[in-house]
Structures are given as C-alpha cells and as structure tokens.
Amino acid sequence: MGARLAPAALVAVLLVATSTAFVVTEKLKLTRNPIVGPRVDKLFSPDCDCDTNTASIAFRLRKADRVTLDVIDSHGTVVRELARRRPQGRATVAYVWDGRDGAGRVVPEGSYRPRVHLSRARRTIVMPNPIRVDVTPPRVTSFTARPLVISPDGDGRSDTATIRYRLSERAVAELYVGARRAVRKLGTRPKGTIRWNGAVAGEPLPEGVYTLRLVARDVAGNLGPRSGSRKVRIRFLALGRDRVVAAPRGRFAILVLSQARRVQWTLGARSGVARPGTLKLRAPAQPGRYTLRVEANGHVRRAAVIVRGAAR
C-alpha cells in the first residue's frame, strides 16, 4: 500500500513546487524594477589616452538601499567589484569602471555586464546593458594620393590631392602632413576619401614636397599606428632653368611647369600667352642681359636671358 502511495506523493510535491515557483515568478513580474533610468557606456578602451578610457554605470533606486555592484563576464564570473554594500538614496548614483579586474589587470576584450545586488530588497539584478571592452587599435590597410603634384591656387585645376583609404574597422581617419594634423575626417566609415588643399591649420603651405600619412582612431578610442607615407608636391610655377644664353634673334626653349591652363610671358618689348610645357622663343636682336618673366595665376618666375654679341 505504501509503495503505491509513494509515486502519488512525489507527484503532489512536484505540483506544489511548480505552483510555488509559478506564483513567485508571476509576483516578480508584477514587481516594479527597483532600478530606474540606467545609463551604461556601451564601448570603451582602457588602454587609450582619451576620454573614453573608462565606462560609466549610472542609475536611480526606487527606494534607498545598500548597493553591491559587480562587473561580470559572459560566463557570469565577477571580474571586478565596484561597490560593496554602499548605502544609496533615491538620487542618481554613478560608478566608473576602468576596464581592469580586481588585480589591476586589463580584462580581455569582450562583453561585460553590471550586476547589482540590493541588500534590503534582497534582489540581484543583472543589468541588460552590455559593456564592450575593445583594446585593438585600428590599422590603415590601404592609402593612395592623387595627383602627386597640386597647385592650390583656386583655378580648379589640381587644387587638391584626393586621399583614398581603407581601414581595418570603423574609425575616424586623420591626415598628417609631416608631424602636423591637417584634416580630421568626419564619420567612422572604414572606407573613404579625404581632399587635401595644401594647407595645415588653415595656413597654405609654400611650394615643396610634403610627406602625407594617415592614422585612425576607432570608436572605443584606440589610436592606431601611422600608415606608410605618400609624397605630394605643391607647385604653382617652375622654370626648367634660370639662365639662357642665346645669339641675337636666336631661338631657344625653356620648360615651364604649371597646372594652369595658360601662362603669360614677357621678354624685352615682347609678350605673349602659351600653354605650360616647352616654351619656344626668339632672343632679342641687341646683345645684352634680359629678363624672361613668366606668370601663372599670380605666381611669377624669372630667368636671365643673355644675348651675346655676334662673333667677329
């Protein structure tokens, strides 16, 4: 008889336990969350020298309580205790996590969550706000600059160099000219372009060859290494030589380098307009020293033209 009653008793116990668990679960559903208005930083890098090297965890309590706040990993293991039975009122409270464990070591990359225990309410709540720790700096995986010679004089011809790049992840790209930052690209797309107008900090640079590099800073704040370099020359106008020797009325040629559509030249009493490239002219008839003046978009270069006397 007792043996037959045992299964029935077991079933009854299970039914009571199930009913109790159901009642407790439903009661918890109807109980308002004691934590109000949580604000948790989603992503940060404890390694960066920036404003995003810590994560803020803030919330309010419906009722004053003693708070224990832990940071747990994806397995539920506590990696850092931020508060231990600290009395808190109903005002907003905030804690800061520096991305380190209890021994002061930077935690591995991954997702972490705040866990709050309220002593008086006897509640432990894992906040549904993940915190992503990212310590991997971004890299510039490709970088080109075209054209390699620019003349930022506002005529619409080769005024800027177009920098095309690709990054290893979403990040802000920054263009450096030598050791100075020239452009900070808006947005964090991992692929994009930057147009450089030959200026740094709003100041136009003089003619010369400049070394361009890119660096990237990701959303977490990690600053990547500088990329390889590309050299871009700023040139408005240049002559192939600064001294020409010719016979009276003799022909000579001089190279004119410019991105302008036309250049103006003056030699003695004569003047004209020509395309950049090889400028072919005739020397004055009288022996002497003359100045060839070439102008392009307000930039002027000069060369001496020596006309020798006829041989006797």
Side-chain angles (χ1 to χ4, degrees), residues 4 26 30 78 138 162 170 246 267 287 310:
R4 277 185 281 176
E26 291 302 309
L30 296 175
V78 175
T162 299
R170 295 187 68 90
L267 178 60

mmCIF file of all heavy atoms in Angstrom, residues 4 26 30 78 138 162 170 246 267 287 310:
data_model
loop_
_atom_site.group_PDB
_atom_site.id
_atom_site.type_symbol
_atom_site.label_atom_id
_atom_site.label_comp_id
_atom_site.label_asym_id
_atom_site.label_seq_id
_atom_site.Cartn_x
_atom_site.Cartn_y
_atom_site.Cartn_z
ATOM 1 N N ARG A 4 2.521 1.987 -3.266
ATOM 2 C CA ARG A 4 1.661 2.588 -4.275
ATOM 3 C C ARG A 4 1.413 4.076 -4.004
ATOM 4 O O ARG A 4 1.162 4.850 -4.910
ATOM 5 C CB ARG A 4 0.321 1.841 -4.318
ATOM 6 C CG ARG A 4 0.389 0.581 -5.168
ATOM 7 C CD ARG A 4 -0.954 -0.057 -5.302
ATOM 8 N NE ARG A 4 -1.299 -0.826 -4.107
ATOM 9 C CZ ARG A 4 -2.469 -1.433 -3.948
ATOM 10 N NH1 ARG A 4 -3.403 -1.298 -4.855
ATOM 11 N NH2 ARG A 4 -2.710 -2.147 -2.879
ATOM 12 N N GLU A 26 5.373 34.962 -11.164
ATOM 13 C CA GLU A 26 4.357 35.951 -11.509
ATOM 14 C C GLU A 26 4.435 37.162 -10.595
ATOM 15 O O GLU A 26 4.234 38.307 -11.022
ATOM 16 C CB GLU A 26 2.961 35.308 -11.427
ATOM 17 C CG GLU A 26 2.697 34.267 -12.500
ATOM 18 C CD GLU A 26 2.840 34.849 -13.897
ATOM 19 O OE1 GLU A 26 2.224 35.900 -14.166
ATOM 20 O OE2 GLU A 26 3.591 34.287 -14.705
ATOM 21 N N LEU A 30 5.144 41.190 -11.615
ATOM 22 C CA LEU A 30 4.310 42.309 -11.216
ATOM 23 C C LEU A 30 5.055 43.326 -10.370
ATOM 24 O O LEU A 30 4.611 44.458 -10.220
ATOM 25 C CB LEU A 30 3.087 41.796 -10.442
ATOM 26 C CG LEU A 30 2.123 40.911 -11.246
ATOM 27 C CD1 LEU A 30 1.030 40.366 -10.342
ATOM 28 C CD2 LEU A 30 1.513 41.689 -12.412
ATOM 29 N N VAL A 78 32.479 37.136 -11.659
ATOM 30 C CA VAL A 78 32.772 38.507 -11.250
ATOM 31 C C VAL A 78 34.233 38.833 -11.586
ATOM 32 O O VAL A 78 35.151 38.132 -11.159
ATOM 33 C CB VAL A 78 32.526 38.700 -9.744
ATOM 34 C CG1 VAL A 78 32.952 40.107 -9.315
ATOM 35 C CG2 VAL A 78 31.060 38.471 -9.400
ATOM 36 N N PRO A 138 42.932 50.312 -34.559
ATOM 37 C CA PRO A 138 42.648 50.137 -35.992
ATOM 38 C C PRO A 138 43.913 50.314 -36.823
ATOM 39 O O PRO A 138 44.884 50.915 -36.372
ATOM 40 C CB PRO A 138 41.632 51.254 -36.272
ATOM 41 C CG PRO A 138 41.987 52.314 -35.288
ATOM 42 C CD PRO A 138 42.465 51.599 -34.051
ATOM 43 N N THR A 162 43.498 64.034 -53.723
ATOM 44 C CA THR A 162 42.461 63.145 -53.207
ATOM 45 C C THR A 162 43.120 61.944 -52.539
ATOM 46 O O THR A 162 43.858 61.187 -53.181
ATOM 47 C CB THR A 162 41.524 62.672 -54.327
ATOM 48 O OG1 THR A 162 40.880 63.815 -54.909
ATOM 49 C CG2 THR A 162 40.458 61.729 -53.783
ATOM 50 N N ARG A 170 35.672 50.330 -38.301
ATOM 51 C CA ARG A 170 35.088 51.669 -38.252
ATOM 52 C C ARG A 170 35.947 52.569 -37.360
ATOM 53 O O ARG A 170 36.235 52.219 -36.211
ATOM 54 C CB ARG A 170 33.660 51.623 -37.718
ATOM 55 C CG ARG A 170 32.683 50.868 -38.611
ATOM 56 C CD ARG A 170 31.266 51.007 -38.094
ATOM 57 N NE ARG A 170 30.788 52.371 -38.236
ATOM 58 C CZ ARG A 170 30.162 52.841 -39.299
ATOM 59 N NH1 ARG A 170 29.947 52.058 -40.334
ATOM 60 N NH2 ARG A 170 29.743 54.100 -39.338
ATOM 61 N N ALA A 246 71.874 82.926 -75.605
ATOM 62 C CA ALA A 246 71.427 82.801 -76.994
ATOM 63 C C ALA A 246 72.103 83.853 -77.863
ATOM 64 O O ALA A 246 72.608 84.880 -77.367
ATOM 65 C CB ALA A 246 69.911 82.951 -77.065
ATOM 66 N N LEU A 267 59.398 89.171 -72.495
ATOM 67 C CA LEU A 267 60.842 89.180 -72.744
ATOM 68 C C LEU A 267 61.164 90.438 -73.530
ATOM 69 O O LEU A 267 60.773 90.570 -74.697
ATOM 70 C CB LEU A 267 61.278 87.940 -73.521
ATOM 71 C CG LEU A 267 62.761 87.873 -73.884
ATOM 72 C CD1 LEU A 267 63.635 87.895 -72.643
ATOM 73 C CD2 LEU A 267 63.057 86.621 -74.712
ATOM 74 N N PRO A 287 72.503 92.614 -78.359
ATOM 75 C CA PRO A 287 73.206 91.921 -77.262
ATOM 76 C C PRO A 287 72.923 92.601 -75.927
ATOM 77 O O PRO A 287 72.662 93.799 -75.852
ATOM 78 C CB PRO A 287 74.686 92.041 -77.653
ATOM 79 C CG PRO A 287 74.674 92.290 -79.122
ATOM 80 C CD PRO A 287 73.431 93.092 -79.408
ATOM 81 N N ALA A 310 77.546 89.331 -81.799
ATOM 82 C CA ALA A 310 77.929 88.494 -82.927
ATOM 83 C C ALA A 310 79.436 88.299 -82.937
ATOM 84 O O ALA A 310 80.222 89.219 -82.642
ATOM 85 C CB ALA A 310 77.470 89.153 -84.231
#
